[in-house]
Amino acid sequence: MKILSLFDGISCARVALERVGIPVEAYYASEVDKYAMQISQKNYTDIKHLGDIKELCSEEGLRRYLPEIDLIIGGSPCQDLSIAKKNRKGLDGERSSLFWNYVLLLKYVKPKYFILENVASMPKEAKVIITEALGVEHIMLNASLV
């Protein structure tokens, strides 16, 4: 399976795919934290790092060659959605607005499958907007069970 992991962190999606027995043919990652990228590159030397999602979504970035992708996976930043932040700005916030880059890439790449992860404590209106943008109803999974 060919994977595009957005907001990749330390490539935990790759670990999860391996643990459930899904073979990874190619793994492309968009991440900005240099320490996270160092960890993922140390554990998986075949990861192809694509850099910042904002650059990837630029006109020039979208012209870059991306092979056919089977699965886009990622969790856009939650700081502006989480109840942990006072005066949260939702999907208009500086970090959580990066969700729209996920949507842009989803429409551009047209993968067979996609997974978007985020916090359950986001405002109801943000859940509605995300559901409409993705065209599917969200489901909540208890991460402690997986």
Side-chain angles (χ1 to χ4, degrees):
M1 187 170 270
K2 296 175 189 152
I3 312 299
L4 173 56
S5 177
L6 304 173
F7 318 103
D8 187 56
I10 60 171
S11 303
C12 290
R14 177 92 182 246
V15 174
L17 292 167
E18 287 181 351
R19 288 187 180 171
V20 296
I22 296 174
V24 175
E25 180 183 333
Y27 192 93
Y28 301 87
S30 175
E31 178 55 58
V32 295
D33 185 285
K34 69 178 184 177
Y35 299 112
M37 290 187 296
Q38 287 173 357
I39 291 168
S40 62
Q41 196 66 52
K42 184 175 189 314
N43 292 323
Y44 300 101
T45 58
D46 62 332
I47 290 177
K48 295 164 188 78
H49 286 279
L50 303 176
D52 189 334
I53 193 168
K54 290 182 272 187
E55 292 173 20
L56 191 57
C57 288
S58 69
E59 266 188 59
E60 182 182 322
L62 288 173
R63 284 195 297 260
R64 279 193 226 171
Y65 175 72
L66 265 180
E68 185 177 316
I69 297 293
D70 300 305
L71 170 66
I72 290 182
I73 192 166
S76 54
C78 67
Q79 287 88 337
D80 299 303
L81 294 170
S82 173
I83 59 173
K85 183 175 183 176
K86 290 183 182 180
N87 303 319
R88 58 187 176 172
K89 295 184 180 172
L91 291 170
D92 294 328
E94 182 181 343
R95 291 179 148 197
S96 294
S97 65
L98 292 173
F99 162 75
W100 297 110
N101 295 97
Y102 180 100
V103 173
L104 177 71
L105 284 169
L106 187 63
K107 290 178 180 179
Y108 183 80
V109 173
K110 296 180 177 75
K112 295 175 186 167
Y113 313 99
F114 70 91
I115 298 171
L116 175 73
E117 173 275 331
N118 217 300
V119 295
S121 66
M122 71 176 68
K124 190 175 190 175
E125 54 273 7
K127 289 178 185 176
V128 170
I129 292 168
I130 290 170
T131 296
E132 289 174 0
L134 297 178
V136 295
E137 189 67 36
H138 71 277
I139 59 170
M140 186 161 19
L141 301 173
N142 183 342
S144 68
L145 300 175
V146 190

